[in-house]
Amino acid sequence: MLSSNDGWWNYWNDWNFDNSLKNGLNNLYGTKYILWKYENSLREKAGKELLRYTDIKDYQVEHIAPQTERQGDNTGYPKYDENFTWEDRNSFGNLMLLSSKTNERIQNNPLIKKIEEYRNEGEKSLLQQKEVIDIATQKQEYFWGKDEITKRTEEIIAFIKETFKLN
């Protein structure tokens, strides 16, 4: 029965699992847990003290590129169309942990303002924020689009598979 190609017992094959990971934000608590584990992996590599899960109790999951399109020039985000979809904006690469206070304050701001706030987090600053800043500022103008999100999504998915010994 387990070798069958149909039925619920075969649903979580590699393709379905990979596809589920690419879609990112399906469960807020699961996403927060994975981003906490990811933060600790960044901290471990940097030789920094690890965070307990209770250390992030007042953190929220931040969408770097907002869920709704920001109008105006020089937003730092691409046009929200069939090339920059809801799936892109909800994938792991577009998500990070951010203190609730800062997340509520920045909401749908242009990228340059968000980066200023990420830098001003002080003691609440996480390595995820530095990682996003480094990726977004590689070009002359600050930008956070599909390529940046895809690159970071691939890194986080590789981390998930390694951490949870998948594939």
Side-chain angles (χ1 to χ4, degrees):
M1 204 180 224
L2 291 175
S3 64
S4 172
N5 287 330
D6 57 279
W8 66 268
W9 50 84
N10 195 47
Y11 178 77
W12 285 110
N13 58 33
D14 290 345
W15 183 87
N16 282 322
F17 183 73
D18 287 344
N19 202 36
S20 178
L21 286 177
K22 287 177 188 167
N23 290 330
L25 184 65
N26 289 319
N27 178 304
L28 190 59
Y29 297 106
T31 300
K32 187 174 179 179
Y33 176 80
I34 287 171
L35 291 174
W36 164 68
K37 295 286 279 182
Y38 182 66
E39 174 67 23
N40 275 338
S41 77
L42 295 174
R43 287 172 168 269
E44 190 171 38
K45 289 176 190 169
K48 294 193 173 230
E49 184 178 347
L50 302 183
L51 297 174
R52 295 176 309 224
Y53 192 74
T54 56
D55 293 337
I56 62 158
K57 68 179 182 281
D58 70 334
Y59 283 72
Q60 295 177 347
V61 175
E62 150 77 343
H63 285 78
I64 302 155
Q67 294 180 58
T68 56
E69 186 170 16
R70 169 118 179 129
Q71 300 300 313
D73 296 330
N74 301 321
T75 64
Y77 313 112
K79 181 169 176 48
Y80 288 26
D81 58 17
E82 66 275 354
N83 295 316
F84 191 62
T85 64
W86 180 90
E87 288 81 12
D88 295 322
R89 296 188 305 274
N90 283 292
S91 68
F92 281 111
N94 192 45
L95 305 173
M96 72 174 181
L97 294 177
L98 190 64
S99 70
S100 299
K101 185 177 178 183
T102 300
N103 194 29
E104 290 164 6
R105 187 172 53 247
I106 64 174
Q107 298 200 9
N108 203 18
N109 281 336
L111 181 64
I112 193 165
K113 295 214 180 276
K114 283 189 168 193
I115 287 176
E116 288 172 13
E117 291 290 341
Y118 299 163
R119 285 183 173 142
N120 291 331
E121 276 278 90
E123 67 182 43
K124 292 197 170 272
S125 182
L126 301 177
L127 292 180
Q128 291 173 45
Q129 292 155 312
K130 181 180 180 337
E131 175 186 57
V132 168
I133 292 167
D134 290 347
I135 294 169
T137 59
Q138 287 179 350
K139 301 175 183 173
Q140 271 188 301
E141 290 187 28
Y142 293 176
F143 189 74
W144 191 259
K146 189 173 185 96
D147 290 345
E148 292 76 15
I149 291 169
T150 299
K151 176 184 177 194
R152 190 161 177 266
T153 296
E154 289 170 357
E155 291 174 14
I156 293 174
I157 289 173
F159 158 76
I160 291 167
K161 288 180 175 181
E162 174 62 28
T163 300
F164 297 101
K165 306 297 183 222
L166 306 168
N167 287 1

